[in-house]
Amino acid sequence: MNTSELVLEVEKVNKSFHDPVTIQVLKDVDMQVARGEFVSITGKSGCGKSTLLYILSTMDTDYEGELKIDGEPTRKASRTRLARIRNEKIGFVFQFHYLLTEFSVLHNVMLPGLKLGLKSREEVEHRAMVLLGDLGIADQALKGANQISGGQKQRVAIARSMINDPLIIMGDEPTGNLDSRNSGIVFDIFRKIADEHKRSLLIVTHDQDFAARTDRIIEMDDGRVVP
Ligand SMILES: Nc1ncnc2c1ncn2[C@@H]1O[C@H](COP(=O)(O)OP(=O)(O)OP(=O)(O)O)[C@@H](O)[C@H]1O
Ligand SMILES: [Mg+2]
C-alpha cells in the first residue's frame, strides 16, 4: 500500500469510559484505509464500533493513540483545525438520518456546504442538485425533509455527506433501517463513490451480505480489531 494514498491511519487507539466504573472499550486499535477503498466494520453489539467511529470522525478527542487523516496527525490539532478537517475531508451517514425537518430536502443537502463557506450559494445549490440527481431523488428536492420515505431520507443523508466532496465517508449502520431493496440502492451508490470518484468508505454494518460485498471487512471483538 502506498502510504501517500492512505486517507485514514489509526495507531494504537485506546479508549476508556469512566462512568460509573472504568471500562476500556477500545484496545490498541490499528487500522488503515486507502484512497478509493470501500471498507466495512462488523462485530457484536457493544464491541466498540460506534465509539471508534466517533473518534475517527474527530468528534471525540478523549482517547490515547494517533489518528491521521489524509496524512495529517490530528491528536494535537486545535479545535478549529479539527473542525476544518472534519468539514472538508469527512462525510457522515448515520442510521437515523438527522435531517432537519423544518427545511427542504435541497436545503438539508446544502447545509454543510454553506457552513464550509468555500463556494457560493449558487455553486453549492448546483452541486446539491447534481447529487440528488445521481441518487435518483432530484424530483424530491423542494419537499420538506419529513415528506419523503425512509429510503429517500437515507439517500438525502448520503447526498448531504457528499456535498463537500469528502475524502472519506463514514457511516454508522447507514442501511440499518432500510429494506433489502433500499439497502441495495445505498450499497450501489457507495460502490460508485469508491470506484468512480476514488473516495473511501468506512461503514459499520450488522448486515453480513452488505459487508461481504465490500473490498475488506474489519472485524471487531471486545474493543480489538480481530487480526
Ligand atoms: N458514554 C458512555 N459511557 C459509558 N460507557 C459507554 C458509553 N458509550 C458506550 N459505552 C459502552 O462502550 C461499549 C461500546 O459501545 P459502542 O456504542 O461503541 O458499541 P457498538 O459496537 O457500536 O454496539 P452496537 O452494535 O450495539 O451499536 C459498550 O459496552 C457500551 O456500553
Ligand atoms: Mg453502535
Side-chain angles (χ1 to χ4, degrees):
M1 208 183 279
N2 180 347
T3 50
S4 67
E5 290 286 318
L6 292 177
V7 168
L8 187 75
E9 294 162 83
V10 181
E11 292 160 11
K12 291 227 172 317
V13 163
N14 285 280
K15 160 95 186 171
S16 297
F17 286 112
H18 303 286
D19 186 27
V21 290
T22 297
I23 44 160
Q24 191 174 354
V25 176
L26 296 176
K27 301 165 185 167
D28 284 340
V29 171
D30 283 314
M31 65 173 69
Q32 300 182 328
V33 177
R35 192 177 175 100
E37 213 184 359
F38 184 178
V39 180
S40 50
I41 300 181
T42 64
K44 287 197 198 89
S45 179
C47 73
K49 305 179 297 295
S50 295
T51 305
L52 178 64
L53 223 54
Y54 213 55
I55 290 172
L56 303 189
S57 68
T58 77
M59 289 189 284
D60 180 5
T61 54
D62 182 17
Y63 63 94
E64 281 149 32
E66 182 60 277
L67 163 67
K68 290 183 191 159
I69 295 176
D70 197 17
E72 180 176 343
T74 61
R75 196 74 190 86
K76 296 196 178 88
S78 67
R79 292 186 77 83
T80 342
R81 182 65 202 149
L82 274 188
R84 184 81 188 179
I85 292 172
R86 187 157 63 232
N87 292 331
E88 249 181 45
K89 304 199 170 174
I90 308 174
F92 306 97
V93 191
F94 296 105
Q95 178 175 1
F96 303 101
H97 30 79
Y98 300 113
L99 300 179
L100 299 175
T101 49
E102 67 270 34
F103 291 125
S104 69
V105 161
L106 176 62
H107 196 84
N108 268 278
V109 176
M110 289 171 64
L111 273 174
L114 297 175
K115 198 169 148 196
L116 187 61
L118 288 180
K119 291 190 173 134
S120 72
R121 192 178 182 91
E122 289 67 32
E123 285 173 298
V124 173
E125 181 171 333
H126 177 73
R127 178 165 167 82
M129 281 310 299
V130 169
L131 287 168
L132 288 171
D134 287 349
L135 295 166
I137 46 171
D139 56 338
Q140 307 292 314
L142 298 180
K143 278 194 179 175
N146 54 354
Q147 296 174 306
I148 57 175
S149 77
Q152 289 170 335
K153 282 179 188 163
Q154 208 69 57
R155 280 181 270 170
V156 175
I158 294 171
R160 181 182 57 183
S161 77
M162 293 169 68
I163 190 74
N164 293 329
D165 196 18
L167 275 174
I168 182 162
I169 294 179
M170 300 178 188
D172 199 351
E173 296 186 48
T175 60
N177 58 346
L178 298 183
D179 59 25
S180 63
R181 187 179 151 271
N182 277 302
S183 180
I185 291 174
V186 169
F187 181 90
D188 293 341
I189 292 161
F190 285 160
R191 185 78 269 170
K192 196 169 157 191
I193 294 170
D195 293 349
E196 291 175 21
H197 301 274
K198 285 278 167 246
R199 296 308 186 231
S200 309
L201 293 138
L202 187 60
I203 307 295
V204 168
T205 183
H206 278 116
D207 181 342
Q208 291 304 324
D209 297 330
F210 184 101
R213 295 173 66 204
T214 62
D215 297 333
R216 179 159 62 95
I217 299 176
I218 294 173
E219 194 191 333
M220 288 184 67
D221 181 29
D222 191 23
R224 291 182 193 278
V225 170
V226 177

